[in-house]
Structure formats: structure tokens, C-alpha cells
Amino acid sequence: MPDITHLALFCAATLGLLLVPGPAVLYIVTRSVSQGRSAGLVSVLGVHTGSLVHIGAAALGISALIAASATAFTVVKYVGVAYLLWLGLRKLMKRGGESEEVVELKVQSRRRLFWEGFVVNVLNPKTAVFFLTFLPLFTDPAAGPVGPQILLLGALWLVLGMASDGMYALLSSVLAARLRGSVRARRRLDVSSGLVYLGLAAWLTTEKA
């Protein structure tokens, strides 16, 4: 297994990457702002349950196969793009009332929030490429089989990722109280959320195998 020095360097490098907002962070923040702290935290759990798929795939070498095959990478990428486009267009086409009275925000079920977060991260080819190119840098073939080492590094990444994304969910939920009381504010939030999803879809189209 990797020595303590390698593990410490991995944790430092991972935190440096995780603290820079990316697609998963934007998704979590959107959910947390629109539906509150619990929704953001459930989304964190869904996103990082999706991370388990990438960790297992990296350990088994499936991520390497996807990255090596332009066709497989393209298929995965555009499935993710289609899903994000659907989410974005649904938000933009949602009708909002003109009344300024306080209304109850309709919250999606926790199960739906969880599985949306799961799907968003599983269909993110950027995550697969991250595990393919980043984790192996901190493995040592001389220390034993690489697969178990990747599983250990993946577990560390998962803990750090949940802590980092959980912080984003908690901080962004502070804004929820200001936005959820007004129909107009809710409509603006729907528009901004839709634009975030469409922006993520556009970002994914620029990624190359």
C-alpha cells in the first residue's frame, strides 16, 4: 500500500482540486439554494454514491477502456449532455406565477434528489478521466497490487469530496431563505438553475477523449 507521505500528498492534491467549483459543486449548490440544506446534503450523497461507480471502474480498469475508446467516451459524454439539457430546458420552460405572496415551495422527494445526483455524476466523463489519470500517479506497483491501492485512494477522495461538497451545500443553503418566499424569486431561481444545467451541457461537449 502507498506510504504515509504518498497518502498525505494525495490528500493535499485532492483537496486542491475539490475546492475549485466544478460541475458537481454547481449541481449541489443549485439544489441546496433552490430546496434548502437537506436537499443539498441528499444531493451530495447521490453525487458521491455515483463516485463509487467511478472508483470501482478505475480499480477494474473500465475507466481506462472508456478513455482509450473514442466511441465509448463519446457515447457516455453525450448521454450526460442530453440529461443536462433535459434538466435545463425543463427549468426554463416551467411557468411561474406573477403574485408576490409567500407560497410553499414544492420540494422534490429525497429519493429523486439522490438519484438525480447519482446519475449526474455517473454520466460525467470528466470524473472517469480524473480517476484514470490522477489516482495512478499516487500508486506504487512495488508496494503491491495497484487495484487495492486505487480503492484506498478512492475511499480517501470520497471522504474528502463529501466533506468539501457538504460545506458547499451548507453555505449555499443560507441563501435559500431569501429566495424561497417569493414567486418572482422562485422563477428567477428556476431560470438561473436552467442556465446552470445548460452551461454544464455546453461544457461537456468541449471535453475530448
Side-chain angles (χ1 to χ4, degrees):
M1 304 302 288
D3 58 31
I4 297 299
T5 301
H6 275 78
L7 292 178
L9 289 174
F10 174 78
C11 290
T14 298
L15 280 174
L17 291 172
L18 288 171
L19 291 176
V20 177
V25 169
L26 292 176
Y27 174 80
I28 291 165
V29 167
T30 298
R31 288 304 193 189
S32 190
V33 170
S34 64
Q35 296 185 212
R37 179 178 58 187
S38 62
L41 293 176
V42 170
S43 297
V44 170
L45 290 176
V47 164
H48 288 291
T49 300
S51 295
L52 291 174
V53 174
H54 292 288
I55 293 170
L60 295 173
I62 297 175
S63 293
L65 176 63
I66 292 177
S69 170
T71 300
F73 184 92
T74 299
V75 169
V76 172
K77 179 175 73 174
Y78 282 105
V79 168
V81 168
Y83 182 70
L84 289 170
L85 285 174
W86 177 73
L87 289 175
L89 291 175
R90 187 179 64 175
K91 283 287 186 181
L92 292 177
M93 295 175 67
K94 183 178 178 181
R95 294 184 177 181
E98 296 298 328
S99 174
E100 287 296 325
E101 63 183 78
V102 176
V103 294
E104 184 71 20
L105 178 66
K106 183 178 180 181
V107 178
Q108 291 182 348
S109 69
R110 292 184 178 182
R111 176 179 296 181
R112 181 168 181 175
L113 290 170
F114 177 88
W115 286 112
E116 279 191 356
F118 175 83
V119 171
V120 164
N121 207 30
V122 166
L123 297 181
N124 184 359
K126 184 77 171 183
T127 306
V129 173
F130 165 80
F131 280 108
L132 170 67
T133 60
F134 187 70
L135 266 67
L137 297 177
F138 294 89
T139 61
D140 182 7
V146 173
Q149 294 184 54
I150 289 179
L151 288 176
L152 173 61
L153 295 174
L156 288 174
W157 185 91
L158 187 66
V159 171
L160 294 173
M162 291 188 68
S164 173
D165 290 343
M167 178 192 69
Y168 274 112
L170 293 174
L171 290 177
S172 59
S173 67
V174 174
L175 299 175
R178 302 178 183 178
L179 297 172
R180 290 162 60 184
S182 166
V183 172
R184 178 174 296 178
R186 289 173 55 195
R187 179 53 189 158
R188 289 174 179 172
L189 183 59
D190 281 334
V191 171
S192 62
S193 299
L195 292 176
V196 167
Y197 288 131
L198 294 180
L200 294 181
W203 175 82
L204 280 181
T205 62
T206 66
E207 294 300 300
K208 300 183 182 299

